Amino acid sequence: MNRTITSKEIQKLFEFCREQKVEHYDLQVELVDHLASLMEEQWEKQPGLSFDTAMYSAFKKFGYKGFREIYETKKKELNKKYVQIHLQYFYRFFRWPQILLTALLTFSVFQLVIFTENLKNVYFVFLGFAVFISAFFYFFWYPKKLKIDIKDNTRFLLLEVLKLRYQNFLLVLFVPLNVLNIVLLDIFDRSEWQTLSFEDPLNLLIIGALSFLMVCFGILFYGFSIHASLKIKQHFTEQFPEFIK
């Protein structure tokens, strides 16, 4: 009968991973499973190998960087996974029937500009909205909807990806406003910020394009900060419910 890893030895593998500076539990689980498989493969060929000899022999197969390369690879994989979820959410708004909502939002932004006839006021409306959204996100949404309290302060790589989105929230939110500011300054004179004439078809075309661009930024922002973040929380609670307070 082939030698297999015991429960006690599994705990030793977890301790070994921590000794190798692997601090994230979800990464430890993957590495322990991989180490155990490599060790059992060795025992099929050399049943007399000791646990320590088999463990260090398996560890050498990770290369001179040890587990560090695995950590970097796993982090990139997680980021890529949730970027894809984010982009899939974005693309949905250009398919039927969600494209109707995209068109309606674009028309609403366009009508806001037409109604005010003042680009400066429109810009500050968006700025005020961004400030409100920021306060709402930091003081209500994240603490109530996204934050996860973990037992024993256990670290998880998946939660670091979630935290990174939280930290980049303002960047994602205010980049569109900066782009709008730059574009408006390049296209229109300062005097035109005060009162914009819509008799010129080119102005209407530019405002229409900017309205669509702002809607796209809004969808991207929601997908990045809310939709994908909720997916991360959902996946975490499904995989590690025992660690949630």
Side-chain angles (χ1 to χ4, degrees):
M1 184 175 179
N2 293 329
R3 167 93 154 82
T4 58
I5 295 283
T6 65
S7 298
K8 188 174 181 180
E9 289 170 339
I10 287 291
Q11 295 307 312
K12 289 183 179 180
L13 290 179
F14 272 102
E15 291 175 8
F16 177 74
C17 288
R18 289 191 287 271
E19 289 172 1
Q20 299 301 317
K21 308 301 182 183
V22 178
E23 300 176 346
H24 303 91
Y25 181 78
D26 43 353
L27 186 55
Q28 290 174 11
V29 171
E30 290 196 21
L31 291 173
V32 166
D33 182 65
H34 195 43
L35 283 170
S37 297
L38 290 173
M39 292 169 68
E40 289 176 351
E41 287 176 8
Q42 292 181 76
W43 281 328
E44 288 180 4
K45 300 174 183 178
Q46 299 175 279
L49 280 180
S50 68
F51 173 83
D52 286 345
T53 301
M55 181 180 69
Y56 281 105
S57 177
F59 177 60
K60 287 180 181 179
K61 293 184 180 181
F62 285 89
Y64 75 96
K65 290 185 178 180
F67 293 147
R68 184 66 192 177
E69 189 171 354
I70 301 297
Y71 166 79
E72 297 294 343
T73 300
K74 182 63 179 178
K75 191 172 182 179
K76 289 179 181 178
E77 287 177 356
L78 284 174
N79 278 314
K80 183 178 179 180
K81 174 182 177 179
Y82 291 103
V83 165
Q84 288 176 341
I85 289 175
H86 169 205
L87 292 178
Q88 286 170 2
Y89 177 82
F90 175 75
Y91 295 145
R92 281 170 47 194
F93 282 83
F94 300 93
R95 301 171 187 162
W96 185 264
Q98 288 90 342
I99 195 171
L100 289 176
L101 178 58
T102 305
L104 179 61
L105 291 171
T106 301
F107 180 74
S108 298
V109 175
F110 180 81
Q111 285 298 113
L112 174 64
V113 180
I114 296 292
F115 177 76
T116 60
E117 296 186 356
N118 189 314
L119 288 175
K120 184 177 181 180
N121 288 344
V122 171
Y123 176 78
F124 282 107
V125 165
F126 281 118
L127 179 61
F129 182 72
V131 171
F132 171 78
I133 290 295
S134 300
F136 179 79
F137 182 82
Y138 281 113
F139 296 108
F140 176 77
W141 186 264
Y142 180 81
K144 299 292 185 182
K145 302 294 185 179
L146 292 179
K147 189 177 180 182
I148 303 174
D149 292 322
I150 301 299
K151 296 177 182 178
D152 304 322
N153 295 319
T154 306
R155 295 184 63 183
F156 291 86
L157 189 56
L158 185 55
L159 292 186
E160 281 201 1
V161 174
L162 177 60
K163 185 178 179 181
L164 184 62
R165 287 176 174 268
Y166 170 70
Q167 292 172 338
N168 289 337
F169 176 85
L170 284 179
L171 177 64
V172 177
L173 179 59
F174 282 94
V175 161
L177 284 170
N178 289 332
V179 170
L180 178 62
N181 188 19
I182 293 169
V183 170
L184 290 176
L185 286 174
D186 286 343
I187 294 176
F188 301 107
D189 295 330
R190 281 286 184 179
S191 59
E192 291 183 307
W193 273 61
Q194 299 300 321
T195 301
L196 182 65
S197 172
F198 294 107
E199 296 179 359
D200 186 348
L202 181 59
N203 282 354
L204 290 174
L205 181 62
I206 292 171
I207 295 302
L210 285 174
S211 300
F212 177 70
L213 184 62
M214 291 303 293
V215 169
C216 289
F217 273 130
I219 297 170
L220 282 169
F221 160 75
Y222 184 88
F224 176 90
S225 301
I226 306 299
H227 179 75
S229 297
L230 286 172
K231 284 294 183 183
I232 294 174
K233 182 177 180 179
Q234 176 190 339
H235 295 162
F236 181 85
T237 54
E238 291 172 352
Q239 294 176 52
F240 307 105
E242 68 276 16
F243 286 92
I244 302 175
K245 289 183 181 179

